Amino acid sequence: MTIKVLAVTSEIYPLIKTGGLADVAGALPAALKPEGVEVRTVVPGYPAVMAALSEGETVMTIGDSFGGAARLVAGKAKGLDIIALDAQHLFARPGNPYLGPDGKDWPDNWRRFAALSRAAADVALGALDSYRPDIVHAHDWQAGLTFAYTHFAPSRPGSVLTIHNLAFQGQFSPTLFPALGLPAEAFGADGIEYYGAIGYLKAGLYYADRITTVSPGYAAEIRTPEEGMGMDGLLRARSGVMTGILNGIDEDAWNPKTDPHLAANYTKKTAAGARALNKAAIQARLGLDPDPDAPLFGLVSRLTWQKGIDLLLANIPTIVGQGAQLAVLGSGDPGMEHGFSVAQGIHPGRIGSWIGYDEGLAHQVLAGSDAILVPSRFEPCGLTQLYGLRYGTLPVVARVGGLSDTVVDANPAALSRGVANGVQFAPVTYEMMKVAIERTAALYRQPELWKKLQTNGMAQDVSWTDPARRYAALFRELLPTA
Ligand code: ADP
């Protein structure tokens, strides 16, 4: 039997993306198809979404969707089966989906994502004659209210909430509660209330039948007071329905054999020669010395505290001291961006950076660097280390969340069993990162060992096959027993 899943998300690749959430929402429909799961996805009708949905059909009109008329438009967009909430007063704004031109959250985000969740709940409860899902799969706080809206219906589909980053919780003033159109009983600790405020993620976590997050490691961490960001109590209470399912990567977009961005394509067999060409290319592009023997560390990241970028900036002397180089691609915190420019000035030819967001350059940094740094303080799953594994670029990572689940440290035990594929460090401090950089440089100087680590990484399954199987099994558990 085909399982019909209605996904609800505020971003989906390739239509609209700010982070890993979009990648997951975009990849799951195709990955789930062989498992007998058909996914349709409700998304806000941002300009980019409506443009891609030009052939779409109006399947429902809404007289008042939180302050204005709206409609649901269904159709195919870039291979995805989309139902867009076309609400001009909420979503007809260019640029980042959450932030205004001043870089601050849109003040009406509470309304925008309540409207998204309300519309998704209506579809879930059968508002479209021709479609009724078996399961609703909501992603992150923007979709969290969906399950508050479906909870009070006499019958409703099974519900799964996936947390991509617990740091974003969607908390708003309790004075907005009457505008949400929920029954009074929804406002309480047993409902959407969160320490006196309204919590959209909290609502989803409370009402969902099942909770998943994007790695087993993160699933365990966020149940602790240290990493639970205020939600650990609720998450502990809901432990019995919570699992961690790792993300896969888009194996077509991230395939060193066919990647159009690379100076030289390669497979495991041809990696050595081709990677040397890619290394020379990225060194040239970022103004680094053409030094084939220097270990080249790469970074492709948002430049934020979460990502541990301050620890890397502090370790620039460590990298230079090891005779190594650093290739940086990132954007974010202005102080951190400036830090790399300064470092580049102090160490010309050894540190190269490009500040901004550039998909092609990200591929080139991955293919040309010897090691890829991911020093995150917390990391729900992380994609960059998975790209590193696939590209034969040794991941050097903090031992947190999904990083600890996917990278096997080159310690003596793992080396003797032949299973190591990278370097981990913990705790996430300047000192331990320094040791990790030094260990990596030492490994690099043992070519046979390095090659073995690289080959192990390239052989690792980072596809969506296994994760999709797990999601499908979870959905199946929630089907009504006939
Ligand atoms: P997060 O979603 O927390 O930023 P992930 O590792 O899950 O972290 O996903 C980050 C994604 O964004 C990866 O696909 C990474 O390659 C990409 N990325 C981050 N910064 C840049 C950048 N400056 N240019 C291009 N791609 C980037």
Side-chain angles (χ1 to χ4, degrees):
M1 189 197 104
T2 305
I3 306 178
K4 285 182 281 181
V5 171
L6 182 70
V8 192
T9 177
S10 63
E11 38 184 289
I12 185 163
Y13 180 84
L15 303 182
I16 175 99
K17 166 171 166 171
T18 72
L21 159 63
D23 290 319
V24 177
L28 270 177
L32 282 166
K33 205 170 225 159
E35 300 298 320
V37 177
E38 259 173 28
V39 183
R40 297 185 84 175
T41 307
V42 178
V43 288
Y46 305 119
V49 171
M50 295 319 297
L53 206 58
S54 53
E55 309 275 292
E57 175 196 354
T58 300
V59 290
M60 188 173 128
T61 54
I62 306 171
D64 179 16
S65 175
F66 291 83
R71 59 184 186 133
L72 291 182
V73 179
K76 288 263 179 206
K78 305 202 174 158
L80 299 162
D81 204 343
I82 294 291
I83 303 175
L85 175 60
D86 183 21
Q88 300 281 313
H89 60 296
L90 302 174
F91 301 121
R93 306 171 194 180
N96 183 292
Y98 316 116
L99 311 176
D102 57 359
K104 297 202 175 104
D105 286 345
W106 289 108
D108 60 346
N109 273 351
W110 70 273
R111 191 196 299 273
R112 301 169 79 219
F113 296 106
L116 177 74
S117 300
R118 175 76 257 181
D122 288 342
V123 175
L125 297 175
L128 308 185
D129 293 337
S130 55
Y131 177 73
R132 210 179 168 118
D134 303 303
I135 304 287
V136 182
H137 184 191
H139 296 272
D140 273 354
W141 74 265
Q142 296 91 342
L145 278 192
T146 308
F147 300 148
Y149 288 120
T150 55
H151 178 76
F152 298 95
S155 81
R156 59 166 183 83
S159 55
V160 178
L161 182 92
T162 295
I163 307 168
H164 297 267
N165 192 337
L166 192 64
F168 304 111
Q169 301 187 347
Q171 279 159 28
F172 301 101
S173 161
T175 57
L176 299 171
F177 181 73
L180 296 179
L182 282 163
E185 63 189 291
F187 190 78
D190 290 345
I192 77 169
E193 186 258 345
Y194 178 72
Y195 292 109
I198 293 170
Y200 283 23
L201 182 67
K202 151 82 205 292
L205 295 175
Y206 181 78
Y207 288 116
D209 296 324
R210 295 281 192 283
I211 298 168
T212 76
T213 186
V214 290
S215 69
Y218 194 59
E221 285 170 9
I222 59 180
R223 280 177 257 178
T224 66
E226 294 75 24
E227 306 295 333
M229 299 191 170
M231 293 288 178
D232 49 292
L234 174 59
L235 292 172
R236 277 195 301 280
R238 304 227 63 204
S239 276
V241 298
M242 186 168 164
T243 46
I245 303 177
L246 278 170
N247 292 335
I249 65 170
D250 180 337
E251 288 193 303
D252 296 326
W254 291 91
N255 182 351
K257 196 172 163 191
T258 53
D259 190 332
H261 303 293
L262 307 193
N265 289 110
Y266 57 95
T267 61
K268 227 186 291 171
K269 273 202 188 112
T270 58
R275 287 184 51 82
L277 295 174
N278 288 316
K279 183 170 178 174
I282 194 68
Q283 284 171 328
R285 175 131 185 222
L286 293 179
L288 294 165
D289 296 336
D291 185 345
D293 298 323
L296 174 55
F297 288 89
L299 177 83
V300 178
S301 182
R302 292 189 286 119
L303 304 181
T304 65
W305 181 87
Q306 178 201 333
K307 299 291 180 182
I309 303 305
D310 49 319
L311 306 179
L312 172 58
L313 282 165
N315 265 303
I316 281 179
T318 313
I319 291 176
V320 176
Q322 290 292 316
Q325 294 177 320
L326 176 66
V328 172
L329 167 62
S331 65
D333 182 292
M336 292 176 178
E337 292 181 351
H338 182 64
F340 287 113
S341 307
V342 170
Q344 193 169 321
I346 298 175
H347 306 287
R350 310 313 291 175
I351 310 291
S353 67
W354 200 88
I355 302 301
Y357 191 96
D358 185 325
E359 195 76 31
L361 190 54
H363 289 242
Q364 290 158 10
V365 172
L366 260 302
S369 301
D370 296 301
I372 189 85
L373 293 164
V374 194
S376 308
R377 288 194 166 85
F378 65 93
E379 193 60 77
C381 176
L383 291 171
T384 320
Q385 86 281 12
L386 302 179
Y387 301 148
L389 292 170
R390 185 120 209 259
Y391 276 59
T393 316
L394 210 76
V396 178
V397 307
R399 188 185 304 143
V400 296
L403 302 173
S404 67
D405 290 324
T406 52
V407 176
V408 183
D409 181 69
N411 59 45
L415 285 174
S416 70
R417 279 185 292 128
V419 295
N421 62 17
V423 171
Q424 287 192 346
F425 63 95
V428 193
T429 59
Y430 157 77
E431 287 80 12
M432 295 318 288
M433 185 174 185
K434 178 170 191 281
V435 172
I437 291 168
E438 290 164 354
R439 283 178 61 211
T440 308
L443 288 166
Y444 181 78
R445 298 196 177 95
Q446 303 168 65
E448 280 311 305
L449 185 52
W450 186 267
K451 193 166 166 216
K452 173 73 181 143
L453 295 171
Q454 248 182 346
T455 323
N456 284 349
M458 292 182 86
Q460 185 150 324
D461 181 4
V462 291
S463 75
W464 273 104
T465 310
D466 182 63
R469 226 170 264 148
R470 289 173 194 267
Y471 277 107
L474 185 70
F475 296 149
R476 233 171 267 125
E477 274 178 34
L478 291 175
L479 296 178
T481 40

